[in-house]
Amino acid sequence: MFGPRKSLESVTQHAHGQALAKTLSWPHLIALGVGAIVGTGIYTLTGVGAERAGPAVILAFAIAGAVCACAALAYAELATMIPAAGSAYTFSYTALGEALAWIVGWSLILEYSLACATVAVGWSGYLVGWIQSAGIVLPPALLSGPHGGGIVNLPAVMVALGVMGMLIAGTRESATLNIVLVVIKLTALGVFIAFALPAFNADNLHPFMPYGFGSVETGGEKRGVMAAAAIVFFAFYGFDAVATSAEEAKNPGRDLTIGIVGSMLVCTVIYMLVAVTAIGAMPFLQLANSPEPLALVLRSLGQPVAAYLIALAAIIALPSVILVMMYGQSRVFFTMARDGLLPRRLATVSPRTGAPTLITLVTGVSIAIVAGIFRLDEIAELANAGTLLAFIAVGACLMVLRKRAPGAERLFRCPQPYVVGTLAILGCLYLLFSLPSSTIVRFVIWNVIGLAIYFLYGRRHSVEGRVTAS
C-alpha cells in the first residue's frame, strides 16, 4: 500500500564504495547526543518557555522530556536491530514502506537543516554581542539577511561552512572535537547552577501555572504548559542524530543503547536543574523571552564575570550542536541517495576518511544559505514539526516490527513496547497540534513539495522499487 519495504537482511548490505566506515565508540555517541541536546534550547528557550507557561515551564521541560524518553527507548531498540544509517527514515522503510519513509526522511531534512540554521543564527547573535561589547562596530548589512534589513548574516554563514569543513575532515575527528565542546557546555551549566541556586526563592514559583495546562491561542499566540512544551521540545531532540550513526558504530548493540538512552538521561537531569534554578532565582516575567536568560539571571545576581563566562561558553560550544545536526542531515541525505530516491551520485564515500564528502558539502552549503538569509524566528519552530513526525513514525515502527518480526534479534528490547510506542505517538501528536497553526501550514506545504519530488523522481529511480519489480 505504501510502496516496497526493505527486508531486515538487505538493510545493512551496501554496494562497494557506499558503506560508511565504523569509527565511533560509545563515548563518541553519548557526546553526539549530549552535544545536540544541550545547546541553543537550554541556553535560550528557558525564557521563551517562561513567557508561555510561567514557572510551570519546569513542568513543560518534564513533559517534553517524558515524550522524548518514550521515543528514545523506541529508537534504541530499532537502531540496535537495524544498524544502518538513516535513523527514522531507514526504520520506516523497513516497517512501513517507501512512500511513508520518504515523508519521514523529507521531514528529517527539514528538522536537521532548520535546527542547524537556527543555531548558526543564534550563535551569530552571541558572537556579535561579544565583539560589540569590546567596542568593535561591525557593518549591520553583514549581520542579518534581507528579511532583517541587511544583506547576509555573514557570521552564521561562516560557522556553518566551518563545521562543514570539520565533518569533511572525518567523522571520528569531528566526534572527538565534539567531546571537548560538550565538556565546555556542561561546565558552563554547572557554573550557572552553582551561582544561581543559592538565590532560589520559592515565591518566584507562584502562581505556578498562570496560563493553565492546555495550549490555548490568545491574541495570535499560544500559551499554557503544553504550548511551552511544544517549544522547549526543541531543547531535547538530538538523540535521534545518534541513531543516524548506527552504521558507523564499532559495537552498535552496546554503543547505540548507551548513546541514545544515556544522552537522554543526562540531559533531562540537567534541564530540570537549570529550569528550577533559573525560575527560582528570578520572577518569570523578567525572564520571559530573554535571548540570553541564563546570563540575565547571573547579571541580576551581581555575577557579571560568571555571566560573561556563560556567554563565552555558548560562543565556543554551540557549534557542537551545528556539527551533530549537520552530521545527522548528511547521513539521512546520504541514505536516501543510496536508495535512489535522490541522485545516487551523491552517495559516494571518501576512500581516505570513510565519510560521505560530497553530500556533506551539499548539506553544509545549503544550511549556510538558509542561515545567511532568514531570521531566527522564521526558522525555529518549523524544525519541531519535522522532528515530531519522525518520532511518531518511530513509535509506529517499534510496534509494527514487534508484530511482523517477533523473532528478529534485538540487542536492546524496549520495555512494554506497545505502551511506550503508543505514548510516543500520542504525546508527539499533542505537541504537534500545540504548535502555532502557521507552523503547521508551512509544514504541510513542505511535505506537499516533498511528495511531488518523490512521485516525479524518487519513485521512478528507487533501487528497492526496481528490485521488487524484477
Side-chain angles (χ1 to χ4, degrees), residues 372-432:
I373 293 175
F374 294 101
R375 296 196 314 260
L376 188 66
D377 59 353
E378 292 176 317
I379 54 181
E381 285 182 325
L382 195 53
N384 280 8
T387 309
L388 286 165
L389 182 66
F391 284 8
I392 290 168
V394 169
C397 290
L398 172 70
M399 295 187 287
V400 168
L401 288 176
R402 277 294 183 105
K403 283 284 189 184
R404 185 174 292 149
E409 183 181 13
R410 289 170 169 84
L411 300 176
F412 171 83
R413 295 183 72 87
C414 174
Q416 299 296 322
Y418 297 105
V419 174
V420 169
T422 301
L423 288 175
I425 291 170
L426 294 178
C428 289
L429 280 172
Y430 195 110
L431 290 175
L432 182 63

Side-chain angles (χ1 to χ4, degrees), residues 76-445:
E77 173 167 316
L78 292 170
T80 56
M81 182 183 178
I82 308 171
S87 167
Y89 159 77
T90 299
F91 307 154
S92 299
Y93 212 145
T94 305
L96 306 176
E98 184 179 274
L100 291 180
W102 169 271
I103 294 173
V104 171
W106 192 246
S107 297
L108 284 173
I109 290 170
L110 182 72
E111 168 200 341
Y112 287 130
S113 61
L114 293 188
C116 281
T118 298
V119 179
V121 174
W123 180 88
S124 172
Y126 271 106
L127 180 66
V128 170
W130 179 271
I131 293 174
Q132 292 182 342
S133 68
I136 300 172
V137 180
L138 300 173
L142 298 180
L143 303 180
S144 61
H147 294 196
I151 298 174
V152 65
N153 189 331
L154 189 59
V157 171
M158 296 306 294
V159 73
L161 294 179
V163 169
M164 177 193 75
M166 285 191 289
L167 283 172
I168 289 175
T171 302
R172 182 179 177 84
E173 292 76 10
S174 302
T176 302
L177 173 63
N178 182 57
I179 292 176
V180 177
L181 298 181
V182 165
V183 170
I184 293 172
K185 283 192 292 190
L186 295 183
T187 302
L189 292 176
V191 168
F192 169 77
I193 292 170
F195 278 99
L197 193 57
F200 182 87
N201 181 356
D203 292 340
N204 289 333
L205 300 182
H206 301 287
F208 184 69
M209 207 180 295
Y211 308 117
F213 182 81
S215 177
V216 180
E217 193 157 346
T218 55
E221 289 192 7
K222 287 196 173 183
R223 280 194 168 87
V225 174
M226 292 307 297
I231 299 304
V232 301
F233 179 80
F234 180 90
F236 277 96
Y237 68 76
F239 63 84
D240 54 332
V242 179
T244 68
S245 70
E247 193 173 318
E248 294 162 273
K250 292 180 180 177
N251 184 353
R254 179 198 66 186
D255 297 346
L256 288 169
T257 303
I258 295 174
I260 293 171
V261 178
S263 61
M264 266 302 301
L265 290 175
V266 169
C267 294
T268 300
V269 171
I270 291 169
Y271 279 12
M272 296 301 295
L273 281 172
V274 171
V276 169
T277 303
I279 295 294
M282 174 179 282
F284 80 90
L285 289 175
Q286 295 180 30
L287 195 67
N289 271 336
S290 169
E292 44 168 7
L294 305 190
L296 175 64
V297 168
L298 292 175
R299 282 197 298 270
S300 74
L301 297 176
Q303 300 288 348
V305 175
Y308 185 82
L309 291 175
I310 286 285
L312 177 61
I315 292 170
I316 294 172
L318 282 184
S320 69
V321 184
I322 306 173
L323 187 150
V324 179
M325 292 297 186
M326 191 180 294
Y327 167 88
Q329 182 182 341
S330 67
R331 269 46 179 184
V332 173
F333 258 142
F334 171 82
T335 310
M336 294 174 78
R338 188 166 62 185
D339 291 339
L341 302 184
L342 295 172
R344 293 200 75 196
R345 63 179 175 274
L346 296 175
T348 54
V349 173
S350 166
R352 182 179 64 85
T353 63
T357 302
L358 179 58
I359 201 69
T360 303
L361 182 66
V362 172
T363 300
V365 171
S366 62
I367 289 169
I369 291 171
V370 173
I373 293 175
F374 294 101
R375 296 196 314 260
L376 188 66
D377 59 353
E378 292 176 317
I379 54 181
E381 285 182 325
L382 195 53
N384 280 8
T387 309
L388 286 165
L389 182 66
F391 284 8
I392 290 168
V394 169
C397 290
L398 172 70
M399 295 187 287
V400 168
L401 288 176
R402 277 294 183 105
K403 283 284 189 184
R404 185 174 292 149
E409 183 181 13
R410 289 170 169 84
L411 300 176
F412 171 83
R413 295 183 72 87
C414 174
Q416 299 296 322
Y418 297 105
V419 174
V420 169
T422 301
L423 288 175
I425 291 170
L426 294 178
C428 289
L429 280 172
Y430 195 110
L431 290 175
L432 182 63
F433 288 105
S434 295
L435 288 170
S437 52
S438 58
T439 299
I440 296 172
V441 169
R442 293 190 190 106
F443 181 60
V444 171
I445 293 172

